Amino acid sequence: MIGNDIVDFVQAHKDSNWRRRGWLDKIFVPEEQKWIENTDNPDHMVWLLWSMKEAVYKAHQRTLQYAPRYNPKSFVCSSLATTNSFLKTGQSQSKGRIYTAGYCYETTSVMTTDFVHTTACLTTFLIGKKVAKVIENPKTTAIFTNAKSHLANEMSNKYEFRKDTLGIPQIFEGTNKTPFLISLSHHGRFGSYFLTL
Amino acid sequence: MTREEIITKLKAIATPYVLNKSLLDAYNENTDFIKDLEINSANLVDIILDVEDEFGIEVNDQAMDGMLTVNDAVAVIQKELSK
């Protein structure tokens, strides 16, 4: 239903050499690889597409409730439109669409010089209030604390956050699962969450 | 190659991608690369490419899909080596 993912460019640059032989082939379909080839900033395009696939993977896992898998090529980006010139403003926003197994997800990505952050929603799940936030602390507890105070301001402070057996974070009131959804991500210097209200 | 040899080789392959090395202390055949070793999901691709190089095999998309634990990887490697 919903998912989010953050990539810290400093951490990604340190940890991954996407130019390594075979790397792109394991993650991106030929059409996506063409986009990477034909852009001015292939580093940005690689991590933008990666964060889109990761965010949609999390959303899709929540939709179908399956155990973790590793199938980035099953999430195919069919359209991507970027607004705002990155060079002029130092920030850009991209709207994308990803298909997987007959499901369609819409993505919104914000890119700065430091990170790219993507939120994803199943298209039938676009209506309703949602909030996304990037914080400068990658610890799960810090992300939970931040999201919890967000929820306390909007709703109530009696909610608890826990991961379920599939590793999907859920919001509980006592022992009952609430209808609110939260997705977490952390990478390098940053953490992020995406919350439905 | 014995199962134990494969498990040992996999540990050596995974080690450079583990940021918190103390997590390797509990390494065993049930270890989950992402959940237990906190390996970044983008680096799982590197592990798969390293496995291909080290064992001289090809890990196709379908095999990669289920390669989340040491046990999963051993099964894929043994299947490919027996071909």
Side-chain angles (χ1 to χ4, degrees):
Chain A
M1 292 172 277
I2 64 150
N4 90 126
D5 188 68
I6 189 155
V7 174
D8 177 343
F9 288 133
V10 172
Q11 194 72 35
H13 190 72
K14 203 162 64 181
D15 292 347
S16 294
N17 170 21
W18 61 263
R19 288 179 173 84
R20 176 180 182 183
R21 212 171 99 94
W23 202 93
L24 292 176
D25 286 332
K26 293 271 186 234
I27 295 175
F28 301 107
V29 300
E31 185 70 23
E32 293 164 344
Q33 291 188 40
K34 257 185 228 159
W35 293 347
I36 294 165
E37 223 173 89
N38 296 327
T39 172
D40 293 339
N41 194 329
D43 283 287
H44 280 179
M45 184 58 91
V46 164
W47 298 116
L48 168 62
L49 290 171
W50 169 262
S51 75
M52 287 167 66
K53 284 174 188 251
E54 281 279 297
V56 172
Y57 163 80
K58 289 180 193 174
H60 194 56
Q61 191 202 4
R62 196 188 284 263
T63 304
L64 297 187
Q65 299 285 311
Y66 56 77
R69 294 173 64 175
Y70 195 59
N71 54 345
K73 268 203 298 203
S74 307
F75 297 86
V76 178
C77 182
S78 73
S79 72
L80 184 60
T82 300
T83 53
N84 289 341
S85 154
F86 189 82
L87 289 173
K88 268 188 220 149
T89 61
Q91 187 166 323
S92 67
Q93 204 189 58
S94 302
K95 293 267 184 191
R97 185 168 285 168
I98 285 188
Y99 286 91
T100 185
Y103 289 79
C104 179
Y105 291 83
E106 300 216 351
T107 62
T108 302
S109 307
V110 173
M111 190 184 288
T112 73
T113 48
D114 291 315
F115 64 79
V116 55
H117 176 237
T118 298
T119 55
C121 282
L122 188 63
T123 44
T124 53
F125 211 76
L126 289 169
I127 303 162
K129 192 175 173 190
K130 299 179 193 70
V131 287
K133 198 170 171 196
V134 174
I135 62 170
E136 287 194 32
N137 188 333
K139 290 200 171 69
T140 304
T141 47
I143 306 167
F144 270 155
T145 306
N146 217 288
K148 212 171 167 173
S149 66
H150 208 134
L151 205 56
N153 287 341
E154 299 265 355
M155 301 284 176
S156 128
N157 59 6
K158 50 184 192 246
Y159 300 120
E160 295 294 328
F161 293 53
R162 289 196 291 275
K163 285 192 178 177
D164 66 16
T165 50
L166 295 172
I168 300 173
Q170 305 286 2
I171 304 175
F172 291 87
E173 186 178 356
T175 51
N176 300 320
K177 206 155 95 175
T178 70
F180 308 118
L181 304 176
I182 185 161
S183 166
L184 306 177
S185 179
H186 48 84
H187 187 231
R189 298 162 292 167
F190 302 105
S192 65
Y193 63 86
F194 188 33
L195 182 67
T196 69
L197 297 168
Chain B
M1 203 176 308
T2 67
R3 188 181 163 79
E4 278 61 42
E5 282 169 337
I6 296 174
I7 292 171
T8 306
K9 278 191 173 186
L10 281 171
K11 187 177 183 181
I13 287 172
T15 298
Y17 306 108
V18 181
L19 297 179
N20 178 359
K21 302 290 183 211
S22 67
L23 295 173
L24 286 161
D25 295 345
Y27 177 91
N28 63 66
E29 59 186 6
N30 295 315
T31 298
D32 183 301
F33 294 114
I34 292 175
K35 216 164 69 187
D36 299 325
L37 299 180
E38 294 177 6
I39 289 173
N40 189 288
S41 50
N43 281 134
L44 200 48
V45 177
D46 291 294
I47 290 183
I48 289 161
L49 292 171
D50 290 345
V51 163
E52 289 186 333
D53 291 345
E54 176 69 31
F55 297 94
I57 58 169
E58 197 204 328
V59 178
N60 63 28
D61 294 341
Q62 206 187 340
M64 180 169 127
D65 192 327
M67 235 176 94
L68 295 168
T69 68
V70 172
N71 261 335
D72 298 334
V74 169
V76 169
I77 292 162
Q78 283 183 327
K79 190 174 164 208
E80 286 300 317
L81 286 178
S82 71
K83 276 185 183 172

